[in-house]
Amino acid sequence: MMENLHELLINRRSIRRYTNAPVDADDVRLILEAGLMAPTSKNARSWQFVVVEEPEMLALLGQCKPNYATSVANAPLAIVVTADMTKSEAWIEDASVAASFMMLQAADLGLGSCWVEVRDRYREDGEPSEEYVRNLLGIPEEMAVVCILSVGYKDETRRPIDTTKLLWEKVHAGKW
Ligand SMILES: Cc1cc2nc3c(=O)[nH]c(=O)nc-3n(C[C@H](O)[C@H](O)[C@H](O)COP(=O)(O)O)c2cc1C
């Protein structure tokens, strides 16, 4: 692929439906490399990632909250993004930047992806989504589960971002 970054940003949209095709192991590796190359506060690299490709586990992860998690169950690949809350006070930022880098690398490989928020989300019975995911995957206590990235070949078409509709009123020149 390798369009220029601006084109890639225009064409990246959240993709929640995927074909059954597995993601090539080399591509999975490139996506993870992108996460591992992401900048972190004080270079703490507080994140750790769990790669899930097993269909049964993907289906279970897709039940981590009642709504907006179905893309995980639809996907051939999920990357669970966790962060060590004892390693950095900027663990949310560290994890978020790594997740963003992985989504952009996925986009560059022609893959669709979607961020599924886990932190501070709850299941229908009130159980924190984080606890549910932690138990399923054996993630240690000190690791927060920030999000799950669902990744796969696109099975839906989304319009590119319309750059004439960007919210420039949110940008302040010089001072607020
Ligand atoms: C912090 C964050 C949390 C998100 N959580 C979810 C989620 O739980 N489920 C989901 O389907 N999409 C989720 N998204 C995707 C957004 O809904 C999506 O980025 C937004 O609607 C803009 O659409 P676009 O990505 O196609 O441009 C999340 C995105 C971010 C940045």
Side-chain angles (χ1 to χ4, degrees), residues 24 52 65 77 83 100 116 129 134 167 173 175:
D24 195 85
V52 179
K65 56 183 184 178
L77 166 68
S100 304
V116 171
S129 303
R134 180 177 285 120
L167 304 181
K175 65 185 172 82

Side-chain angles (χ1 to χ4, degrees), residues 3-38:
E3 27 186 4
N4 74 46
L5 181 59
H6 187 66
E7 290 293 318
L8 184 132
L9 294 173
I10 289 172
N11 289 313
R12 184 221 56 85
R13 298 298 311 279
S14 294
I15 297 296
R16 299 182 176 86
R17 284 187 214 140
Y18 313 95
T19 70
N20 290 328
V23 180
D24 195 85
D26 293 337
D27 288 352
V28 177
R29 194 183 161 84
L30 284 175
I31 293 168
L32 292 165
E33 269 190 19
L36 294 168
M37 287 194 282

Side-chain angles (χ1 to χ4, degrees), residues 37 58 73 83 151:
M37 287 194 282
L58 291 164
V151 183

Side-chain angles (χ1 to χ4, degrees), residues 12-14 16 65 67-69 71 114-117 158 161:
R12 184 221 56 85
R13 298 298 311 279
S14 294
R16 299 182 176 86
K65 56 183 184 178
N67 297 306
Y68 302 109
S71 68
C114 188
W115 178 309
V116 171
E117 185 76 356
R158 304 241 8 237
I161 288 169

Side-chain angles (χ1 to χ4, degrees), residues 122-169:
Y122 298 85
R123 304 189 76 219
E124 225 145 328
D125 62 2
E127 182 188 13
S129 303
E130 262 192 88
E131 284 309 308
Y132 173 80
V133 172
R134 180 177 285 120
N135 289 336
L136 277 179
L137 298 174
I139 296 167
E141 270 302 305
E142 69 276 13
M143 304 301 296
V145 182
V146 174
C147 64
I148 304 174
L149 301 180
S150 54
V151 183
Y153 289 97
K154 299 173 198 174
D155 199 25
E156 62 175 325
T157 317
R158 304 241 8 237
R159 230 179 272 128
I161 288 169
D162 181 349
T163 54
T164 67
K165 297 205 171 117
L166 295 177
L167 304 181
W168 282 102
E169 65 273 24

